[in-house]
Amino acid sequence: MKLADLITTNYSLILMLPRFNIPLGFGEKSVKEICENNGIPVQFFLLICNVYTFDNYKPCHNHFGDMRMLIPYLLASHTYYIQERIPHIERHLKKIADKIDKKYGDVLKHFFSNYKNEVEEHFSYEEKIVFPYLNDLEKGTVNKQYTIKEFSTTHSNIEDKLNDLIQIIFKYLPKNTFLNESIELIFDIMQLSNDLKKHQLIENKVLIPYVTVLEERL
Amino acid sequence: MKKDLKILIIEPSEIITQGLVSILKEQNFNICGIEKNTTRLKSLLEEKKPDMLIVNPTLNAPDNRSSLYLFLAKQPSITIFALIYQYIPNSILKNYSRSIDIHDSAEQIKSYFDELGNKSEENINENYELTTREKDVLTLLVKGLLNKEIADKLNISIHTVITHRKNIVRKTGIKTVAGLTIYAMLNNLME
């Protein structure tokens, strides 16, 4: 299959390119060719695309082949959220917050800055605890004190607050006459919320089961 | 409310129909028609305008081509109960609001209608704004109180607090306490 055709079936998959370091302008090359040229295991690339596209897709354990790109993929996603999307939304939210009644504007800014901290903490836990644990498991040098179950039971959802923010912006913000800016902001938040939901699916359906398989092999 | 429910029964067996009618009559339901088959169903629906149909799902649709439930699916304002006395696959039953089994006791059958009565009342009184009580729960919630503490403070059960919380989330579309806090501030519910 051509990579271009794959992306045409679900345009959101274009987000995979920066996360896998695939440059644009790949013309008519196939998925396989592009993955090979960029040092990406094809099976893993397709696994991520499938989970990302179909909410009900459930990978089975023999889909876990060469998984060395899993952590780089998740890290790249984190970077994209923290360094690009969230600051982008924060800037636009601030623009609206500065134009409305200060009392309400401050509440909005405060809400978002709390949210940002929460997301940073969420990712930082994964980066400092879960990813190194996976590395250790793969190397066979494992710290027995921790199990992935601890992560799976506490792995919280981080998109609910974004959905709440959307409701607040379009329903409850008093004297919000900035219709176009608000709509644009809502689209940006919706996009991030969907992307985070998919990210969560990848962690729940790929990361956690994969680590569980490795733990069982111990 | 439920006394005004107009019920149309479509069932070929007279024994079954008579039994059902006698149970329903105790409840003062208005039975607006009893039919043995579906041939006149279309015109009856127009003429009697029932709120509810109790129908034997093994019967054919009036046009004899589509199945009965496909025909009934086009009647969204009518609540439809399936009257069953044999095995009916779930794929068919799921299209009915509820099924009445002929082995059900009179009590059980009455309870099905009570549920329905409550539901319609709820729909009629549906208020999209938060009620005073919901606002009370909300202000305590965003102050950081736990369900138990809210219950004690308002002298209501935890169960009631949870119901209020569900209604708050349903009405506002806001799920998180942080989000509800903003809602409370924007609506001047915080001192």
Side-chain angles (χ1 to χ4, degrees):
Chain A
M1 190 187 200
K2 286 199 307 189
L3 179 60
D5 289 344
L6 179 69
I7 292 174
T8 309
T9 57
N10 175 11
Y11 281 121
S12 302
L13 289 178
I14 206 156
L15 287 165
M16 298 302 121
L17 304 182
R19 291 172 199 174
F20 282 102
N21 257 323
I22 301 172
L24 292 176
F26 38 76
E28 317 306 332
K29 290 204 185 84
S30 71
V31 173
K32 188 164 179 268
E33 227 177 325
I34 289 163
C35 283
E36 279 167 1
N37 290 346
N38 290 281
I40 304 157
V42 186
Q43 197 187 9
F44 179 72
F45 181 77
L46 293 176
L47 171 66
I48 297 295
C49 289
N50 271 319
V51 177
Y52 202 92
T53 305
F54 305 107
D55 281 355
N56 292 324
Y57 183 82
K58 197 172 180 301
C60 46
H61 291 174
N62 54 17
H63 287 146
F64 300 148
D66 182 346
M67 299 292 278
R68 72 193 136 92
M69 288 297 284
L70 177 58
I71 294 177
Y73 170 83
L74 294 173
L75 281 175
S77 311
H78 288 179
T79 308
Y80 171 72
Y81 301 135
I82 294 287
Q83 293 186 6
E84 293 186 39
R85 296 323 294 167
I86 291 181
H88 172 86
I89 289 170
E90 193 173 32
R91 272 196 304 277
H92 286 262
L93 184 72
K94 189 171 174 293
K95 266 190 209 159
I96 294 177
D98 284 340
K99 286 185 205 168
I100 58 175
D101 188 333
K102 185 170 183 314
K103 187 172 80 179
Y104 302 137
D106 287 348
V107 174
L108 269 192
K109 285 192 235 171
H110 181 69
F111 176 85
F112 199 78
S113 109
N114 279 347
Y115 174 72
K116 196 172 140 184
N117 291 339
E118 193 184 309
V119 173
E120 278 169 2
E121 251 170 60
H122 182 108
F123 290 160
S124 137
Y125 174 80
E126 294 173 4
E127 291 168 16
K128 289 193 179 128
I129 310 281
V130 185
F131 298 171
Y133 174 65
L134 170 56
N135 269 330
D136 288 347
L137 271 177
E138 281 177 327
K139 275 189 252 151
T141 54
V142 77
N143 166 14
K144 289 233 159 112
Q145 313 253 296
Y146 186 82
T147 62
I148 197 68
K149 217 173 169 186
E150 220 170 288
F151 173 62
S152 60
T153 48
T154 54
H155 192 207
S156 61
N157 134 350
I158 46 175
E159 80 266 359
D160 273 357
K161 281 197 182 153
L162 288 179
N163 297 331
D164 287 356
L165 185 58
I166 293 174
Q167 297 282 329
I168 289 164
I169 293 171
F170 83 89
K171 280 157 72 182
Y172 301 121
L173 223 46
K175 294 189 195 133
N176 178 2
T177 49
F178 313 101
L179 193 55
N180 290 336
E181 285 117 305
S182 298
I183 292 173
E184 212 173 300
L185 178 61
I186 286 172
F187 277 129
D188 281 336
I189 301 174
M190 270 175 6
Q191 200 270 322
L192 177 62
S193 164
N194 286 336
D195 201 3
L196 284 173
K197 199 174 121 208
K198 304 291 187 179
H199 182 73
Q200 182 111 344
L201 282 179
I202 288 169
E203 291 183 335
N204 291 343
K205 292 184 173 186
V206 181
L207 175 69
I208 294 176
Y210 174 57
V211 173
T212 311
V213 169
L214 291 182
E215 281 177 345
E216 280 163 5
R217 274 192 211 147
L218 280 182
Chain B
M1 167 64 214
K2 66 181 181 182
K3 282 182 193 162
D4 303 332
L5 272 183
K6 278 193 283 178
I7 302 178
L8 178 63
I9 299 174
I10 303 158
E11 162 56 47
S13 153
E14 186 143 8
I15 295 179
I16 303 273
T17 319
Q18 291 298 333
L20 185 62
V21 168
S22 80
I23 291 173
L24 295 180
K25 283 232 165 112
E26 283 173 40
Q27 296 273 301
N28 296 318
F29 283 115
N30 174 1
I31 294 169
C32 65
I34 298 170
E35 282 288 305
K36 290 202 182 306
N37 53 55
T38 59
T39 35
R40 296 198 317 128
L41 183 55
K42 262 184 198 163
S43 57
L44 275 174
L45 290 180
E46 278 162 27
E47 182 193 328
K48 310 263 188 188
K49 299 206 178 349
D51 301 298
M52 177 168 196
L53 271 179
I54 299 177
V55 54
N56 185 323
T58 59
L59 295 169
N60 289 321
D63 59 12
N64 256 326
R65 272 173 297 147
S66 56
S67 57
L68 183 58
Y69 73 80
L70 281 178
F71 171 78
L72 294 174
K74 293 175 198 138
Q75 321 290 333
S77 61
I78 308 176
T79 309
I80 301 156
F81 280 16
L83 180 59
I84 55 174
Y85 37 104
Q86 68 200 53
Y87 170 74
I88 307 279
N90 255 333
S91 55
I92 291 181
L93 278 187
K94 69 169 199 258
N95 299 288
Y96 294 83
S97 313
R98 173 178 274 298
S99 53
I100 301 178
D101 192 294
I102 56 157
H103 303 99
D104 287 342
S105 67
E107 276 312 307
Q108 274 171 314
I109 294 176
K110 281 174 198 162
S111 74
Y112 301 158
F113 288 90
D114 286 343
E115 277 170 33
L116 187 75
N118 293 338
K119 231 190 239 163
S120 358
E121 234 151 292
E122 216 173 80
N123 286 342
I124 282 167
N125 296 333
E126 174 69 297
N127 183 355
Y128 296 110
E129 301 297 329
L130 296 190
T131 62
T132 320
R133 213 43 166 170
E134 283 159 5
K135 285 180 186 165
D136 293 341
V137 171
L138 178 65
T139 38
L140 295 175
L141 182 66
V142 301
K143 274 185 191 157
L145 269 69
L146 303 171
N147 286 347
K148 171 89 180 69
E149 296 166 328
I150 298 173
D152 290 346
K153 207 146 202 167
L154 298 177
N155 256 325
I156 53 181
S157 71
I158 291 199
H159 179 76
T160 312
V161 175
I162 293 169
T163 309
H164 284 313
R165 286 188 64 165
K166 277 190 195 152
N167 287 336
I168 294 168
V169 170
R170 184 171 51 84
K171 287 180 182 175
T172 59
I174 299 177
K175 284 188 194 158
T176 66
V177 176
L180 288 170
T181 309
I182 303 223
Y183 172 88
M185 283 171 146
L186 295 178
N187 287 283
N188 298 317
L189 295 173
M190 318 254 288
E191 300 102 48

